[in-house]
């Protein structure tokens, strides 16, 4: 059997990327302006204003990094029948929300997971609650990653990931992997799901998003 050499990449949709680029440019301008004003005030012995401007410059720089990380930092890709999932280290969000003071201003690290498509047994795309209802015991790491949010004393953290679209898979050897695909191009995610199906025709696919449901219905009709 000839190995599929297609490469398909799913990222945040073009409209979201354009909007984010505009915001990043704005943050960059504000960071540069604040830094210039800060050093100018320090040079003219206006130390209080200088420090405040430099703090503002640091905050805008961090916001720039977080915003860029949120949109350009992750992707879902399949190449030569191997699935690549570049996700944030915490599994869900582009910044660290589980640390201490000011942790929301700490950009999350990313990691890459690679999985042969023919080893995938299950694909679920939907909210965390949908995935919890449909996953098997292989989802232990998923539950573990959710724990800090679902048991947080802050309601905002509990609600933060409740409506996110999550791409979740299970493998034939009983492992799982997952990542947030909120605002991703649905067409490209669907194309990746199709490539996985071609490599592993017995894969179980379930979704709770209307756009994805149309694809699954068509796929089932073709089987």
């Amino acid at each position: 059997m000839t190995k599929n050499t297609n490469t398909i990449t799913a990222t945040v949709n073009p409209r979201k990327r354009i909007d984010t680029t505009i915001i990043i440019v704005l943050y960059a301008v504000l960071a540069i302006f604040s830094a210039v004003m800060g050093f100018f005030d320090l040079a003219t012995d206006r130390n209080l204003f200088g420090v405040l401007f430099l703090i503002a410059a640091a905050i805008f720089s961090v916001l720039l990094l977080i915003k860029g990380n949120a949109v350009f930092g992750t992707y879902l890709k399949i190449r030569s029948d191997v699935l690549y999932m570049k996700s944030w280290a915490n599994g869900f969000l582009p910044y660290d929300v589980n640390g201490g003071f000011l942790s929301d201003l700490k950009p999350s690290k990313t990691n890459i997971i690679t999985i042969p498509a023919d080893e995938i047994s299950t694909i679920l795309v939907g909210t965390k609650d949908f995935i919890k209802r449909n996953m098997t015991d292989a989802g232990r790491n998923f539950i573990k990653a959710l724990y800090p949010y679902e048991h947080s004393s802050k309601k905002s953290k509990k609600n933060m990931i409740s409506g996110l679209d999550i791409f979740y898979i299970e493998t034939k050897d009983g492992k799982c992997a997952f990542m947030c695909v909120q605002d991703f191009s649905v067409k490209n995610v669907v194309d990746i799901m199709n490539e996985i199906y071609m490599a592993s025709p017995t894969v179980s696919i379930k979704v709770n998003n209307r756009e994805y449901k149309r694809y699954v219905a068509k796929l089932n009709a073709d089987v």
Side-chain angles (χ1 to χ4, degrees):
M1 182 176 179
T2 303
K3 195 168 187 177
N4 192 340
T5 59
N6 289 345
T7 297
I8 302 172
T9 303
T11 58
V12 172
N13 63 65
R15 179 56 187 271
K16 182 75 172 181
R17 291 169 74 89
I18 291 172
D19 291 345
T20 300
T21 299
I22 294 173
I23 294 174
I24 287 174
V25 170
L26 177 61
Y27 283 154
V29 170
L30 291 172
I32 293 171
F33 172 79
S34 297
V36 170
M37 291 299 297
F39 287 119
F40 175 80
D41 284 338
L42 289 177
T44 55
D45 293 329
R46 300 174 63 186
N47 294 333
L48 177 59
F49 287 104
V51 170
L52 291 176
F53 271 118
L54 291 179
I55 291 174
I59 292 174
F60 284 126
S61 296
V62 171
L63 291 175
L64 183 156
L65 291 173
I66 290 175
K67 198 68 177 178
N69 195 33
V71 173
F72 303 105
T74 64
Y75 61 75
L76 187 66
K77 177 169 67 177
I78 190 165
R79 181 176 62 205
S80 299
D81 289 337
V82 176
L83 181 67
Y84 297 82
M85 300 171 66
K86 185 180 181 184
S87 178
W88 301 306
N90 64 29
F92 303 108
L93 297 170
Y95 46 84
D96 182 6
V97 299
N98 301 321
F101 183 65
L102 295 181
S103 60
D104 290 12
L105 293 179
K106 180 183 178 182
S108 175
K109 296 180 180 179
T110 57
N111 54 30
I112 299 178
I113 297 173
T114 60
I115 303 168
D118 59 3
E119 293 184 7
I120 297 174
S121 60
T122 301
I123 301 174
L124 302 174
V125 182
T127 63
K128 67 178 183 65
D129 290 333
F130 170 79
I131 291 171
K132 287 168 67 175
R133 290 194 302 269
N134 290 278
M135 70 183 189
T136 69
D137 290 340
R140 292 182 295 274
N141 287 339
F142 182 73
I143 297 298
K144 183 178 178 180
L146 284 175
Y147 187 90
Y149 300 93
E150 295 186 326
H151 294 81
S152 173
S153 58
K154 295 182 180 179
K155 187 176 181 179
S156 60
K157 288 188 178 181
K158 292 183 178 181
N159 296 334
M160 197 172 293
I161 60 171
S162 61
L164 293 179
D165 280 330
I166 299 169
F167 184 89
Y168 170 95
I169 65 166
E170 293 182 358
T171 58
K172 295 174 182 178
D173 61 355
K175 297 178 182 178
C176 78
F178 51 90
M179 65 177 288
C180 175
V181 291
Q182 185 71 18
D183 296 320
F184 270 40
S185 168
V186 173
K187 178 183 182 303
N188 289 353
V189 175
V190 163
D191 288 343
I192 288 174
M193 292 166 66
N194 184 61
E195 292 293 308
I196 295 172
Y197 171 77
M198 295 299 290
S200 181
T202 60
V203 65
S204 171
I205 301 175
K206 295 181 181 180
V207 298
N208 74 336
N209 177 297
R210 182 178 298 177
E211 292 183 82
Y212 290 105
K213 281 182 178 179
R214 284 198 290 266
Y215 160 73
V216 173
K218 182 178 183 304
L219 183 63
N220 290 335
D222 292 340
V223 172

